[in-house]
Amino acid sequence: MGLTCQSSGKGVLREDFLSYETKSDYIVALAGNPNTGKSTVFNALTGLKQHTGNWPGKTVTQALGNYRHGQKLITLVDLPGTYSLLANSPEEQVARDFICFAEPDATVVVVDSTCLERNLNLVLQVLEITPKTIVCLNLIDEARRKKLRIDVEMLAIKLGVPVIPTAARSKEGLGFLKDTINRVASDAIQLNPLRLKYEDRLEVAISKLAGELEPLLPERINKRWIALRLLDGDYTVIDGIQKFLEKKIVVEGFAS
Amino acid sequence: MTQVTQITDLNEVVRKAAEYRETQDESVRDRIVSNIYNEAETLASSVVSHLERRVDWDRKIDNIVTSRILGYPLMLALLGAVFWVTLSGANVPTDMLANFFFGLEEHLSALFFQFGAPDWLHGLVVLGTYRALAWVVSVMLPPMAIFFPIFTLLEDLGYLPRVAFNLDRAFKRVGAHGKQALTMSMGFGCNAAGVIAARIIDSPRERMIAILTNNFVPCNGRFPAIIAISMIFLAGGVISVYGTILAAAMVVALILIGISVTLLVSWLLSKTLLRGEPSTFTLELPPYRKPQIIPVIVRSLFDRTLFVLTRAVIVAAPAGALTWIFANIYIGDLSVIGYVAGWLDPFARAIGLDGIIVLAFILGLPANEIVVPIMVMSYLAAGSMLEFDSLLAFRQLLLSQNWTMLTALNFMIFSLLHFPCGTTLLTIRKETGSLKWTVLAATIPTIVAVLVCFIIAQGARLTGLV
Amino acid sequence: MEAKDSEFTLSRLRVGERGVVTSLHAQGIIRRRMLDLGLVPGTVVESVRRSPAGDPTAYNIRGAIIALRAEEGCKVYVELL
C-alpha cells in the first residue's frame, strides 16, 4: 500500500516538468543566483551524464544529469539561475514551480560565498517553500582568498538547514555535499528551516488564508507560502496549483 | 468529484486574498521583498567577517576595460589579438594537415587504379567526397582549435558582460538591448547558439531583433574561409608576421562592418517591423574569475570544436560527392554546375562575384563550412587539375579563375552578410515558432548582402579600381 | 543643496557617491525587477562606474555590480550619503 501511495501522491507533476523520463531514486533541484558557479557544481556532480532540453512550454533551457551515490541514483535538475523566486520572468516561474509542485526530494541552493547577503535572499525564499533545502556555500576558495570569514555553523543553525562549503572547481566539499543530499532526501536529518516573520497584519492574513487552503491542497504543499503568494497578487501560482489538482484527479481516479 | 469542488473553493480563497490586497495602502510585494532582504542582510552581517581590507582587483581591472579612453580601443585590440593568434597559429598546422591529406590522396588514387576501379568511382569517392572532407578538416580544424579555447577563456574570465556594458548605449540608440552584444559573442561560435542565447533578452521585440541580426557575426563555419581568403589576398598566401597582422586587421575590419550592419538593421527593424520602446536593462558585471585553463581547453575542444567539426564533416561528405556528380554530368559540352553557374553569372558579376561563387553559397545552405570546398571543386572540375595542397596553390587556383581584390573583398562581405545556414534557420523556426520570421531571417540578410556587394562592385568599377 | 533634494535619484549619483534608497517610482514589472535586485527602501547603493559611452551606469547593490540605464536609474529615489 505504501508504494501505491508513493507513486500516486509524491511529485505527481514531475513528469510534466522533466523533459525526459528518469528512473532515479531521488530527484534533486539545483537553484542559485546567476554567476555563482551553479553550472560548475552541476557539471562536477553529474560529469558527462547530462541531458538538455527545454522546460515544457517554455523557451528556458532545462538541464538534467544523473549520478550515483551511496547506492542511490540521483537525478539533478539544474534550475535557471535567478535572483529570486517571485515569478517576474519565465525563468523564475520555472524554478519556483519546480521546487513547489514537482516536490524534489531535496533542493540545493548554490550561493556565492563572496556575496552572501544577495544570495541569502534566494535561500530564504526557497526555505519559505520547502524545508528540504541544502545551502551549498560555493566559491569558498574565493572567499578565503578575499580574506572573508564565514561562520558556517552559525549560518546552518540560523537557517535551520545544512550548509556545506564547497569549491566546485577544485571538487572541494563535493563528497560531503553528496552525503548531505542523500541524508536530506531520505529524511535522515532533522530540519528546522528559518521562518520569515512578516508584520502582524500580514501574518494574520497569511494564517487565515493558509487555514482555508489546508483542506484544499495536499499535505506536502506549503500552504503558508501559497497564501503569501496569493496575498502578493502573484496569480501565476494558481496555474501551478490548478495543473497540480487536475493531475491529482486523474491519478486518484485511477487509484480508486 | 471532491477534487473539482476544490478548484472552485480555491477561487474563493483567491478572491479573499484580492480583498485583503485592496485594503492595503502600500504594495504588499514591497513589504515582502524588503522583509526578505532585510533578513538576509542581518543574517549575512552576523556570520561574515572581513579579516582585512584587500585591494579590489576587479575594480582596478574594470577601471581600465570600461574606461572612457581605453574601453573601446582595448576591445578592438583584444579582438585583433585573438584573430592574430588564431591566424598565425593556424597556418602551420593547416599546411601540415593539407600536405598529409593530399599526400594520402595520391595513395588512395593509386589504390583505386591498382584495383581497376572505374574513373567515375574514383572521382566520386576521392576527388569528390575525400577532397571535400580533407579541405573541411585541414582548413577548419586548426583555427577552431585555437579560437574556441581562447574565446571560452574570455567567457570564463567574465569579460563578455563588460563588452555588453560598453556597447549598451549603441544598442539602446537603435532600439535594441545591450545583451544583444552577448548573443553576438555567442554567434562567433555558432549562429544557432547565438539565436538560442537570445533567450537572455526578456523583451520579445528586442529578442527578435537579436535573433534576426545574429548572422551578421561570422560564425566558425565562415571565418576559416574569411581567414583563408584574407591570408591569400592580403598576405599573398605567404606566412609572415606582417602578412598575418594585415589579415587579422582585415578580419577585424569585417567584424566591425558586421557590427555596423547589425546596428543599422536593428535600427531599421525597430523603426518598422518591430516598432517599440527600448525595454528595461539590467546587467550584472560578475566578479572576474580565474579561468580553469585545462578544463576550458578540454571543454571547448570536445563540446565546441569536435561538435562543429563533426557536423561539418557529416554535411561535407555528401555535398562533396554531389558537387562532383554535378560537375561531371554534362549537358552538351557544359557540366550541370557550369550550366547553372553560367546562368547565375550575370547577376553574380553585377555584385562583384562569379556564378560559381554564388552557386557555392546557395549549395552551402546546409552548412557554411562547405562553401569553399564546393567552390574549389567546381573550379577544379571546370578548369585545370592542379595540386591543391597549400594556401599558395589555393591562391593560384583563384587567380586562374580571374579573382581580383574586388572578388576577394566581396566574397568575404557576402560570406559575412548572407543568409544564415540551415541549422540556424531551423533553430530560428524553433525559437520563434513562426515561419514568417524565419523567412525574414533568411531574406533580410540576403538583401543586405546583395545590396552591399552591388554597391562595392559598382563603386569599384566606376572609380576604375578594377 | 542638491543632496537635500527629495527628488534626488540614482542616476544623479556621481561615480563614487553612495545613497540610500527611499522609494521606487516605477510600476508593474519594472518595479518588481528592481525589488528583485534588492533595490528596496533602506538599501545603500554606490555608483561604481559609467560606461565609456556615458550610459549605462554600474552600481554596487547589496554586493553585486549591476548596470542600469539612466531611464531606470531615475526611477529610484535616493538620499545622498
Side-chain angles (χ1 to χ4, degrees):
Chain A
M1 281 313 282
L3 254 177
T4 333
C5 187
Q6 183 93 3
S7 58
S8 69
K10 191 161 199 172
V12 278
L13 273 183
R14 268 181 191 172
E15 59 249 52
D16 285 351
F17 278 101
L18 301 179
S19 51
Y20 88 126
E21 233 171 281
T22 63
K23 289 204 168 64
S24 50
D25 300 302
Y26 299 136
I27 298 219
V28 175
L30 196 64
N33 283 20
N35 304 309
T36 53
K38 186 163 70 73
S39 52
T40 318
V41 173
F42 181 74
N43 290 333
L45 286 181
T46 62
L48 293 171
K49 290 186 208 75
Q50 295 181 7
H51 170 95
T52 52
N54 276 355
W55 287 91
K58 297 258 164 53
T59 50
V60 178
T61 311
Q62 178 183 70
L64 305 176
N66 292 325
Y67 69 91
R68 276 194 174 280
H69 187 70
Q71 277 117 47
K72 298 286 181 192
L73 180 64
I74 292 118
T75 295
L76 200 60
V77 183
D78 192 14
L79 302 177
T82 57
Y83 290 113
S84 88
L85 293 176
L86 299 174
N88 294 327
S89 67
E91 286 79 10
E92 291 180 9
Q93 208 179 323
V94 156
R96 187 204 63 188
D97 283 355
F98 189 82
I99 296 174
C100 181
F101 297 116
E103 299 172 78
D105 298 289
T107 299
V108 177
V109 189
V110 182
V111 307
D112 177 351
S113 306
T114 65
C115 189
L116 200 56
E117 180 189 328
R118 162 166 297 280
N119 285 257
L120 280 177
N121 173 53
L122 183 70
V123 174
L124 293 174
Q125 291 186 32
V126 172
L127 285 182
E128 284 199 302
I129 306 177
T130 170
K132 299 181 86 172
T133 304
I134 298 147
V135 175
C136 167
L137 208 54
N138 197 33
L139 298 166
I140 197 76
D141 48 343
E142 289 276 324
R144 277 196 294 257
R145 213 172 50 77
K146 290 192 174 169
K147 304 282 178 201
L148 286 172
R149 221 198 80 79
I150 299 170
D151 189 338
V152 178
E153 275 128 67
M154 175 73 93
L155 185 61
I157 291 169
K158 292 206 166 177
L159 291 174
V161 295
V163 177
I164 318 292
T166 63
R169 292 186 296 178
S170 53
K171 309 249 193 268
E172 181 188 334
L174 292 181
F176 191 26
L177 179 64
K178 286 191 217 173
D179 290 342
T180 313
I181 289 173
N182 280 15
R183 293 179 63 206
V184 168
S186 60
D187 295 311
I189 301 183
Q190 185 67 39
L191 302 164
N192 182 26
L194 178 108
R195 182 106 310 160
L196 282 170
K197 270 259 165 284
Y198 295 94
E199 68 206 44
D200 293 346
R201 272 186 314 166
L202 192 52
E203 280 292 342
V204 170
I206 293 172
S207 315
K208 191 158 161 288
L209 278 192
E212 292 189 27
L213 287 167
E214 197 62 54
L216 304 181
L217 296 172
E219 197 196 324
R220 276 172 310 274
I221 300 281
N222 183 340
K223 286 100 201 164
R224 179 188 154 84
W225 178 74
I226 302 270
L228 186 64
R229 297 323 313 139
L230 292 179
L231 288 170
D232 185 15
D234 174 7
Y235 298 122
T236 57
V237 77
I238 295 174
D239 301 342
I241 297 174
Q242 274 181 353
K243 224 198 272 172
F244 191 97
L245 290 179
E246 281 157 24
K247 197 79 182 182
K248 286 284 280 190
I249 298 166
V250 177
V251 173
E252 290 184 1
F254 274 118
S256 58
Chain B
M1 281 316 287
T2 48
Q3 302 291 333
V4 181
T5 33
Q6 278 193 7
I7 293 175
T8 30
D9 290 346
L10 198 64
N11 286 335
E12 180 62 19
V13 181
V14 173
R15 202 182 50 73
K16 283 187 184 157
E19 261 171 28
Y20 172 83
R21 286 167 55 73
E22 273 167 29
T23 65
Q24 299 298 304
D25 41 351
E26 197 186 338
S27 161
V28 184
R29 165 70 58 107
D30 283 27
R31 279 179 287 151
I32 293 174
V33 177
S34 299
N35 192 21
I36 299 173
Y37 262 111
N38 291 337
E39 183 73 34
E41 196 179 332
T42 322
L43 259 176
S45 61
S46 70
V47 298
V48 181
S49 45
H50 289 260
L51 294 182
E52 59 177 274
R53 275 263 157 235
R54 296 255 302 186
V55 184
D56 193 341
W57 283 106
D58 282 12
R59 283 205 181 188
K60 289 201 185 296
I61 297 169
D62 274 340
N63 283 343
I64 299 167
V65 302
T66 68
S67 91
R68 192 160 270 255
I69 301 162
L70 288 174
Y72 297 118
L74 259 177
M75 277 168 52
L76 263 184
L78 202 59
L79 198 65
V82 168
F83 280 106
W84 181 75
V85 171
T86 306
L87 259 74
S88 45
N91 262 325
V92 175
T94 290
D95 274 4
M96 275 165 54
L97 280 172
N99 273 324
F100 167 77
F101 281 122
F102 289 97
L104 201 64
E105 185 192 306
E106 280 172 30
H107 293 289
L108 269 177
S109 297
L111 211 65
F112 268 75
F113 292 125
Q114 200 183 331
F115 287 99
D119 269 0
W120 65 266
L121 190 66
H122 170 254
L124 188 66
V125 176
V126 179
L127 301 181
T129 315
Y130 179 82
R131 271 197 177 172
L133 286 180
W135 165 273
V136 165
V137 174
S138 55
V139 170
M140 283 191 56
L141 183 58
M144 270 174 18
I146 297 170
F147 180 82
F148 276 150
I150 297 181
F151 205 78
T152 316
L153 282 177
L154 281 180
E155 212 181 308
D156 246 41
L157 194 67
Y159 179 68
L160 298 187
R162 274 74 187 178
V163 173
F165 180 65
N166 285 350
L167 293 178
D168 177 60
R169 184 75 183 268
F171 284 102
K172 185 173 87 181
R173 282 252 173 97
V174 301
H177 200 282
K179 283 184 185 167
Q180 194 170 326
L182 295 178
T183 67
M184 287 165 72
S185 302
M186 292 298 117
F188 276 118
C190 167
N191 293 128
V195 168
I196 293 174
R199 290 173 174 187
I200 58 172
I201 300 172
D202 291 322
S203 140
R205 187 187 73 85
E206 288 158 19
R207 180 164 161 241
M208 190 64 83
I209 293 179
I211 289 176
L212 293 182
T213 56
N214 192 270
N215 84 304
F216 295 133
V217 178
C219 65
N220 68 82
R222 291 181 277 164
F223 79 72
I226 293 176
I227 285 173
I229 301 288
S230 62
M231 278 301 287
I232 286 168
F233 280 85
L234 288 162
V238 193
I239 302 160
S240 69
V241 175
Y242 172 73
T244 44
I245 289 179
L246 210 62
M250 181 67 220
V251 177
V252 171
L254 269 179
I255 288 166
L256 289 182
I257 294 174
I259 295 172
S260 316
V261 172
T262 301
L263 290 172
L264 189 72
V265 173
S266 300
W267 178 77
L268 281 172
L269 283 171
S270 64
K271 287 278 169 268
T272 54
L273 293 173
L274 293 164
R275 218 165 309 164
E277 290 300 307
S279 71
T280 56
F281 173 80
T282 53
L283 172 79
E284 182 176 355
L285 302 179
Y288 289 103
R289 305 229 192 275
K290 204 176 83 205
Q292 309 155 273
I293 314 270
I294 303 292
V296 160
I297 292 174
V298 172
R299 204 173 71 221
S300 57
L301 280 183
F302 282 93
D303 289 4
R304 292 188 166 177
T305 313
L306 282 186
F307 172 78
V308 173
L309 193 71
T310 313
R311 192 179 74 104
V313 163
I314 290 170
V315 183
L322 220 66
T323 313
W324 186 87
I325 293 172
F326 287 141
N328 286 278
I329 294 179
Y330 282 79
I331 304 169
D333 52 358
L334 255 181
S335 68
V336 175
I337 282 201
Y339 212 80
V340 182
W343 180 74
L344 286 170
D345 211 53
F347 161 76
R349 299 271 167 206
I351 59 171
L353 302 171
D354 68 28
I356 285 186
I357 301 173
V358 173
L359 181 62
F361 275 115
I362 294 171
L363 292 177
L365 178 70
N368 285 302
E369 292 86 348
I370 58 173
V371 169
V372 172
I374 291 176
M375 188 177 84
V376 169
M377 217 170 296
S378 311
Y379 280 151
L380 287 178
S384 52
M385 292 290 288
L386 44 77
E387 275 297 301
F388 183 68
D389 58 0
S390 67
L391 279 179
L392 264 176
F394 187 29
R395 175 185 160 85
Q396 272 151 17
L397 173 74
L398 295 182
L399 288 177
S400 77
Q401 297 291 328
N402 301 319
W403 272 50
T404 61
M405 244 348 170
L406 174 68
T407 327
L409 179 66
N410 275 11
F411 175 87
M412 292 190 279
I413 298 270
F414 197 85
S415 175
L416 174 75
L417 303 177
H418 81 295
F419 48 82
C421 74
T423 312
T424 305
L425 286 174
L426 284 178
T427 308
I428 293 174
R429 174 84 175 83
K430 238 185 178 160
E431 291 291 302
T432 63
S434 144
L435 191 64
K436 177 190 131 195
W437 289 110
T438 312
V439 170
L440 277 170
T443 40
I444 294 172
T446 310
I447 293 170
V448 172
V450 169
L451 219 61
V452 173
C453 285
F454 180 77
I455 293 169
I456 293 176
Q458 299 308 319
R461 278 169 197 153
L462 280 176
T463 51
L465 283 174
V466 281
Chain C
M1 280 296 286
E2 228 178 20
K4 296 276 174 271
D5 193 342
S6 64
E7 304 236 316
F8 198 73
T9 66
L10 208 53
S11 53
R12 285 167 67 187
L13 281 182
R14 272 174 298 213
V15 171
E17 285 181 342
R18 301 192 311 153
V20 190
V21 176
T22 52
S23 61
L24 298 181
H25 286 229
Q27 290 311 317
I29 194 79
I30 304 176
R31 185 187 188 90
R32 289 161 160 239
R33 289 254 166 79
M34 287 177 169
L35 290 172
D36 263 13
L37 292 173
L39 286 170
V40 295
T43 305
V44 177
V45 181
E46 181 192 355
S47 172
V48 179
R49 68 185 65 258
R50 247 178 247 291
S51 159
D55 189 53
T57 306
Y59 302 93
N60 186 340
I61 306 172
R62 293 183 180 267
I65 309 294
I66 311 261
L68 300 174
R69 284 176 177 168
E71 284 85 341
E72 279 88 56
C74 72
K75 287 174 183 146
V76 183
Y77 285 38
V78 296
E79 203 171 287
L80 191 67
L81 278 184

